[in-house]
Amino acid sequence: MTRHHTPRRRRTVRRLLGPSAGIAAGLLVTGLLAAPARAQAPTDVSPGPGAPIGTTARTVGDARFAPGPCPETVEPIEELKDARCGTLTVPENRARPSSRTIRLGVAIVPAVAETPKPDPIVWLAGGPGDDAVGEAKMAVDGGLNRDRDVILMSQRGTYSADPELLCPNVDEFNGQVVGLVYDAPSTERLHVGATKACRDKLAARGVDLGAYNDTESAADYADLRTALGIKQWNLYGISYGTHLALVSMRLHPEGLRSVGIDGILPPSRSGSAATWSSFRQGIDGLFKACADQPACNERYPNLRGTFEKLVGDLEAEPVTTTVTVPGSDKPVKVVIDGGTLVNWLTSATHTAEAVPLSIDELANGNPERIARQWAGWRTNPKGIGVVSHGLAYGVFCSEWTPYESEDAALQGGQEEFPSFPASVQAQAPLLTFLHPDCDAWNIPAADRSIRDVTTSDIPTLALSGAFDAQTGADNGPYVARTLSRAAVVTIPYEPHVVIATSKCAQEIAVSFFETPEAPKTECLKSLEAPAFEIAP
């Protein structure tokens, strides 16, 4: 669940937890569709014998798939060069018979194998608000199309969907935050103001804001399977995509052969308090890895204690500096207070090797390394206008905040980090001002069942990274309690979304889809901790 995008080791990819800046993909199909949804008789009931998936137009109920051009992307994506593409047309709000229709971009990346297995893999993107079409490279680099086609569909409201629910003003404000006190009341007023401006813009376009949620999205994917004429397929969800995968397993289990979830966010646990628990798990794993290396431990002893003291000191007396970021010679003012430091570290677990040195430099009066990294992430122009804030707030404000107390973040912070100042504890990492934002978004709560635990016998691979500070590794065993055929695997020394950074995770995922009952995990035995940077 991403409220802003984060960096990654060895490859750049998007993470989970709310709207902000980042690198995503997919060009939107412009315009709003005003035609009401209506039932239609099935046509082209199945692809012709031997016809590749996605080459036949087909209508089932209110959903229609039509082959066509691939969704355009901000930058060319080589992995889409040979893709078979088209659009899925579905109702915007299935609860309203007169609902207009919306269109979702679809790209099917062919399998490498000459004779693909008949059950493709569907990629569920993170966010909420990322466009799956733009993540084709991650799926291919992960080896998922070795023996099976990989299907990527732009979730409703995302970049290559029509309508798209983007709000560049929110992305721009998230860049401005680097020069503000992170959790100040004045920052909150500006933050909520940007959210409300986003909402007002989308509502003025006639968007049914309450229709952008997991229930509708899960139905979209179920419709896609039948519209493509596929008897059975597999899901692979990353980050927020695991949230959607678990909902899909509960609401639409038909046709699901197996499910991989990577960077796990259970709907039954989602919210501000759990975010603090995830943060603690991720940074404790990183700090322990440093302590276990004699050179790192000698140079940076008691790293957690140093970090926690810095949070308190900087919240009392923020540090202000000016830096330049890659790609620009324009000076950027950066304010580092306790809340900023927490949010920086949540993302910095993706570049774990430099974390001890960065904290040590800050403790010794040099904030530039952290300031430059923080400003670089938040002000990256490639993150402007690519995230669907409409979908993000649709999920947060209908499925999360109605079912947690307004002081849930404070309670979670107090439990996990009792030494932190209350002003820091009150803002969950990467979910700053979530309740005021949702008050401004003003949509109805989802049915309480959206928070139900998923109980299933569908074979499931639950993958986590031990350095994941966004969706803690304990979410794997948590979801497995009610998934009778789940394999739980934690990849040591890896951050959020392990398929993006770990060869071992990729091997395990590919082997799982080959034999869901027995994924191959031997590679775990050879993994080593990162070599932390040691200052002279």
Side-chain angles (χ1 to χ4, degrees):
M1 54 181 197
T2 44
R3 301 204 63 185
H4 71 265
H5 296 258
T6 57
R8 288 191 182 280
R9 289 179 281 167
R10 298 186 289 281
R11 225 190 272 99
T12 299
V13 46
R14 159 101 161 113
R15 68 171 174 81
L16 164 114
L17 239 168
S20 164
I23 301 174
L27 176 95
L28 86 115
V29 181
T30 57
L32 293 173
L33 296 177
R38 58 185 182 277
Q40 295 174 288
T43 61
D44 301 317
V45 171
S46 63
I53 295 169
T55 57
T56 304
R58 187 167 186 255
T59 299
V60 179
D62 287 335
R64 177 171 179 78
F65 175 79
C70 289
E72 294 184 30
T73 53
V74 177
E75 297 176 348
I77 297 177
E78 181 68 19
E79 290 72 16
L80 294 176
K81 183 179 64 174
D82 298 319
R84 303 183 296 275
C85 298
T87 57
L88 180 74
T89 302
V90 293
E92 184 176 42
N93 189 333
R94 291 173 174 84
R96 295 181 178 178
S98 61
S99 173
R100 67 180 180 177
T101 57
I102 62 176
R103 292 190 297 179
L104 311 176
V106 179
I108 303 168
V109 178
V112 174
E114 286 189 17
T115 306
K117 300 290 175 63
D119 48 292
I121 297 172
V122 181
W123 179 271
L124 302 179
D130 291 343
D131 191 335
V133 177
E135 295 181 344
K137 178 174 173 55
M138 201 194 316
V140 171
D141 284 352
L144 296 185
N145 72 322
R146 186 187 70 178
D147 301 310
R148 291 171 170 82
D149 292 348
V150 172
I151 300 175
L152 308 112
M153 181 171 75
S154 53
Q155 195 178 342
R156 54 175 51 213
T158 59
Y159 199 58
S160 60
D162 178 9
E164 44 72 24
L165 273 58
L166 314 176
C167 284
N169 74 296
V170 175
D171 301 319
E172 291 165 355
F173 174 75
N174 284 330
Q176 297 167 14
V177 164
V178 301
L180 305 175
V181 174
Y182 194 80
D183 47 22
S186 56
T187 303
E188 177 180 348
R189 287 191 294 273
L190 294 170
H191 191 288
V192 175
T195 299
K196 187 174 186 305
C198 170
R199 185 202 188 282
D200 291 347
K201 184 191 83 167
L202 297 178
R205 287 168 46 193
V207 174
D208 184 348
L209 294 173
Y212 291 78
N213 54 50
D214 282 326
T215 301
E216 292 286 0
S217 290
D220 294 341
Y221 282 96
D223 281 347
L224 179 66
R225 184 182 65 83
T226 57
L228 289 175
I230 298 171
K231 181 179 179 180
Q232 195 174 50
W233 66 10
N234 310 273
L235 304 181
Y236 195 88
I238 63 166
S239 195
Y240 158 73
T242 68
H243 196 282
L244 179 57
L246 289 163
V247 171
S248 296
M249 292 170 71
R250 187 169 59 81
L251 297 182
H252 300 281
E254 60 280 358
L256 291 183
R257 172 181 176 266
S258 68
V259 177
I261 47 178
D262 178 353
I264 303 163
L265 183 70
S268 55
R269 229 183 195 185
S270 299
S272 300
T275 305
W276 276 117
S277 172
S278 294
F279 177 66
R280 178 186 54 75
Q281 292 175 64
I283 68 169
D284 279 358
L286 193 159
F287 291 160
K288 182 179 185 303
C290 174
D292 288 344
Q293 290 185 18
C296 190
N297 188 48
E298 180 179 350
R299 182 63 181 81
Y300 311 114
N302 191 21
L303 201 56
R304 173 168 175 162
T306 300
F307 169 72
E308 291 195 17
K309 184 176 186 302
L310 278 170
V311 170
D313 291 348
L314 289 167
E315 190 69 3
E317 295 185 32
V319 168
T320 300
T321 188
T322 301
V323 297
T324 56
V325 298
S328 173
D329 56 3
K330 183 179 179 181
V332 179
K333 173 189 171 185
V334 180
V335 176
I336 302 178
D337 58 9
T340 297
L341 189 60
V342 166
N343 284 271
W344 164 79
L345 184 54
T346 308
S347 300
T349 52
H350 294 279
T351 52
E353 296 90 341
V355 164
L357 172 60
S358 299
I359 292 175
D360 182 71
E361 287 183 350
L362 181 62
N364 286 281
N366 182 3
E368 288 194 10
R369 182 186 297 263
I370 289 176
R372 186 176 298 108
Q373 196 171 34
W374 177 245
W377 298 336
R378 303 281 292 202
T379 63
N380 187 340
K382 292 185 178 180
I384 305 297
V386 296
V387 178
S388 175
H389 297 284
L391 176 59
Y393 284 121
V395 173
F396 294 149
C397 303
S398 69
E399 303 177 20
W400 294 16
T401 58
Y403 300 109
E404 67 171 14
S405 65
E406 289 201 29
D407 64 352
L410 179 63
Q411 293 174 3
Q414 289 172 337
E415 181 175 345
E416 302 295 347
F417 293 92
S419 70
F420 283 1
S423 56
V424 175
Q425 295 167 337
Q427 304 299 334
L430 307 179
L431 286 175
T432 313
F433 311 126
L434 184 58
H435 274 270
D437 276 343
C438 284
D439 289 343
W441 204 252
N442 190 27
I443 58 173
D447 188 90
R448 183 173 286 275
S449 63
I450 198 66
R451 306 284 297 187
D452 286 353
V453 169
T454 297
T455 300
S456 177
D457 62 358
I458 297 169
T460 305
L461 175 64
L463 278 171
S464 301
F467 287 1
D468 188 345
Q470 297 161 246
T471 56
D474 71 343
N475 284 329
Y478 172 81
V479 298
R481 298 173 311 150
T482 54
L483 302 176
S484 61
R485 298 165 72 188
V488 179
V489 180
T490 298
I491 309 294
Y493 318 121
E494 291 293 338
H496 187 57
V497 182
V498 292
I499 199 171
T501 58
S502 168
K503 266 298 184 204
C504 181
Q506 294 167 4
E507 293 172 11
I508 293 170
V510 170
S511 72
F512 167 74
F513 289 118
E514 183 65 27
T515 312
E517 301 294 348
K520 298 177 181 178
T521 61
E522 293 82 1
C523 60
L524 293 170
K525 300 174 184 177
S526 62
L527 299 181
E528 298 181 354
F532 292 102
E533 295 181 27
I534 307 297

